[in-house]
Amino acid sequence: MISKPPAVNKKVYMAKVVTRGNKLHIHYTYNGVRNRKATGLDATNENIKLLEDKVIPELMQKLLVGYQKPKNFAYYFEKFVQYHKADKSFHNRIYIYNKVNAFFKDFDVDKIKRLDIKEYLDTLKMKDKTKKDYLHCIKGVLDIALDDEMIERNFATDIRFKASIKEQVEVFSSDNVEKLLKNADGILKNLLAFLFFTGTRTGEALGIMLKDIDENSISINRSISKGRITTPKTVGSIRKVPILHELREYLSNQIEISKKNNSLYLFEYNGTYIKDSTFFKRRWKDLLIKCNIEHKRMYQTRHTFITNMLNSSKFKVMDIAQIVGHSSPQMILTTYAGFIKDNSIKIDDNFKLFDTKLTQSEKLKQKY
């Protein structure tokens, strides 16, 4: 039960219900300043009574005791950080979140407008794809302030980026794959072979332990990035990948090195796991220069694997999607359709429609 507020000087505090269109608003005066507050309620007698009997008295009470001092961005940022600490991507994004807080920390949340946010994003010299992480933080912090009823609207919700041009998929030619493997040495040679013949992400490869490897397959259970060991990118990324014949020599060599150094991990340094793919950055760049190959990210080994699996015509798209940990074959077709050598359907009439022999992909499934 709301206690009845003490009598007020109507010349100082005046409030009334006003109908605009078919919605109800409250107009009131506070310290000589006129204010308007939208209620979102339909203009009905019941709603008018609700405003007059309950909402306006509560408003008058607040005016008498004084509104709560607006909290600043930093206050809600701390709550945002606590809420998101368990996120898989948190440690990769915390430096972004801290940059956002460094700029907005002293702003009262009720003073942050859409223009403030857009102007801040415009100062960031980066692609819109990366800016979205900054906007995600701003929106998340203001959502908490909205829940706390310190603001009536989250302006970050209304900000949209133009549709970005999808990053160009690049692949290595077969000649370049051969050249890279011929000129690389040691752990880099074995890692590149592993990436080219499994299509795993670099962090997934670094996360492989010797116990994950059996005779015909390798279990992908973890990923390593920036020194943190996590699960792979998505639930579908926890999977098994087949050991292709071309990989076996490189894999055996790396297993021998790992065992010699008493490491639990396949790819290791001083007997322990490698903390990030940047460990190979310098050597990778030097190798590309040595092979006279235009610079590409090591991640393009994954694209190269997928496109060559598609063009081999020996695997179903669904099988390839499962091997590389994609959520659906549709993602494979959408991303790599332009790399399929011949999109036309070829019909070979010399086949048995209801053949009982196992397909290549079915044989592969039986192995692992």
Side-chain angles (χ1 to χ4, degrees):
M1 185 76 177
I2 302 295
S3 59
K4 187 176 180 181
V8 298
N9 185 336
K10 289 188 177 181
K11 291 183 179 180
V12 180
Y13 303 101
M14 293 191 302
K16 62 180 180 179
V17 179
V18 176
T19 302
R20 298 181 63 183
N22 64 339
K23 297 292 182 182
L24 297 176
H25 296 248
I26 297 175
H27 288 193
Y28 64 93
T29 301
Y30 175 59
N31 282 348
V33 179
R34 293 181 179 180
N35 297 274
R36 296 178 176 85
K37 182 178 178 67
T39 68
L41 297 175
D42 293 332
T44 65
N45 289 334
E46 291 79 8
N47 286 337
I48 292 173
K49 182 173 176 56
L50 172 67
L51 294 178
E52 290 178 341
D53 293 350
K54 183 177 180 180
V55 177
I56 289 180
E58 287 182 0
L59 176 62
M60 295 298 99
Q61 182 70 25
K62 285 184 177 181
L63 291 174
L64 283 172
V65 300
Y67 282 111
Q68 180 183 2
K69 186 180 184 302
K71 299 185 179 78
N72 60 22
F73 186 91
Y75 174 83
Y76 292 106
F77 174 78
E78 291 302 320
K79 294 182 179 294
F80 173 83
V81 168
Q82 292 301 317
Y83 292 159
H84 291 276
K85 267 189 174 178
D87 293 356
K88 182 179 180 331
S89 61
F90 175 81
H91 289 276
N92 292 332
R93 292 181 175 176
I94 185 60
Y95 78 98
I96 290 176
Y97 299 160
N98 285 333
K99 284 184 179 180
V100 171
N101 188 51
F103 182 86
F104 284 104
K105 63 181 180 180
D106 295 325
F107 281 66
D108 287 341
V109 288
D110 65 333
K111 298 294 191 296
I112 298 175
K113 303 302 180 188
R114 188 169 186 264
L115 182 61
D116 296 323
I117 302 169
K118 291 190 71 174
E119 287 182 342
Y120 169 69
L121 294 173
D122 286 342
T123 66
L124 304 176
K125 306 305 178 186
M126 58 188 64
K127 295 179 180 178
D128 286 350
K129 181 180 178 181
T130 308
K131 287 184 182 181
K132 287 180 181 178
D133 289 334
Y134 288 77
L135 181 60
H136 166 75
C137 176
I138 299 170
K139 180 181 179 300
V141 172
L142 294 183
D143 272 343
I144 300 172
L146 186 65
D147 291 342
D148 196 29
E149 298 183 356
M150 290 304 299
I151 58 175
E152 295 183 2
R153 179 181 176 188
N154 185 343
F155 289 101
T157 305
D158 302 330
I159 296 174
R160 299 286 184 272
F161 293 98
K162 294 179 182 178
S164 56
I165 299 174
K166 198 166 186 179
E167 184 179 351
Q168 182 67 37
V169 170
E170 296 180 307
V171 300
F172 291 97
S173 67
S174 297
D175 288 342
N176 283 344
V177 172
E178 183 179 356
K179 193 182 296 184
L180 287 166
L181 293 178
K182 181 180 178 180
N183 286 278
D185 55 24
I187 188 174
L188 180 59
K189 177 193 283 283
N190 294 334
L191 175 65
L192 288 177
F194 190 92
L195 297 174
F196 275 127
F197 295 125
T198 64
T200 53
R201 302 172 179 92
T202 313
E204 292 174 343
L206 297 182
I208 292 168
M209 302 177 77
L210 294 182
K211 68 178 183 179
D212 299 325
I213 305 169
D214 59 33
E215 184 179 354
N216 295 307
S217 66
I218 302 167
S219 298
I220 309 298
N221 298 315
R222 67 194 69 80
S223 181
I224 298 178
S225 177
K226 294 182 172 60
R228 295 187 70 246
I229 302 173
T230 64
T231 54
K233 187 175 181 181
T234 63
V235 174
S237 295
I238 299 174
R239 63 198 188 279
K240 284 191 174 185
V241 299
I243 301 175
L244 300 183
H245 175 74
E246 292 175 288
L247 174 61
R248 289 190 178 274
E249 181 181 348
Y250 301 99
L251 183 60
S252 296
N253 180 261
Q254 188 57 41
I255 290 174
E256 185 179 337
I257 294 172
S258 181
K259 286 182 176 179
K260 183 179 178 180
N261 293 326
N262 296 314
S263 176
L264 297 174
Y265 288 84
L266 177 63
F267 297 102
E268 55 78 40
Y269 179 69
N270 287 339
T272 188
Y273 65 87
I274 295 171
K275 295 182 178 180
D276 196 77
S277 61
T278 53
F279 176 84
F280 299 96
K281 186 176 181 179
R282 181 72 255 175
R283 277 179 280 185
W284 171 242
K285 184 177 179 180
D286 289 344
L287 177 62
L288 291 173
I289 293 172
K290 181 179 179 180
C291 295
N292 196 27
I293 296 175
E294 183 181 354
H295 181 77
K296 291 182 177 68
R297 291 188 303 145
M298 197 180 289
Y299 190 85
Q300 306 302 339
T301 56
R302 178 173 167 83
H303 295 322
T304 304
F305 172 83
I306 294 172
T307 55
N308 280 273
M309 289 285 279
L310 285 168
N311 285 319
S312 73
S313 300
K314 296 185 181 296
F315 300 90
K316 296 176 182 177
V317 177
M318 175 65 81
D319 296 330
I320 298 172
Q322 289 177 346
I323 289 170
V324 298
H326 271 312
S327 57
S328 70
Q330 182 62 41
M331 187 179 294
I332 295 279
L333 291 173
T334 301
T335 306
Y336 300 98
F339 289 90
I340 301 175
K341 290 178 180 177
D342 189 354
N343 289 317
S344 61
I345 299 176
K346 294 181 179 179
I347 298 297
D348 179 3
D349 59 3
N350 186 25
F351 78 104
K352 291 176 66 177
L353 181 59
F354 301 104
D355 195 351
T356 57
K357 292 181 180 180
L358 294 178
T359 64
Q360 180 72 16
S361 60
E362 289 169 335
K363 290 178 182 177
L364 184 64
K365 284 182 179 178
Q366 281 196 348
K367 283 186 177 182
Y368 73 101

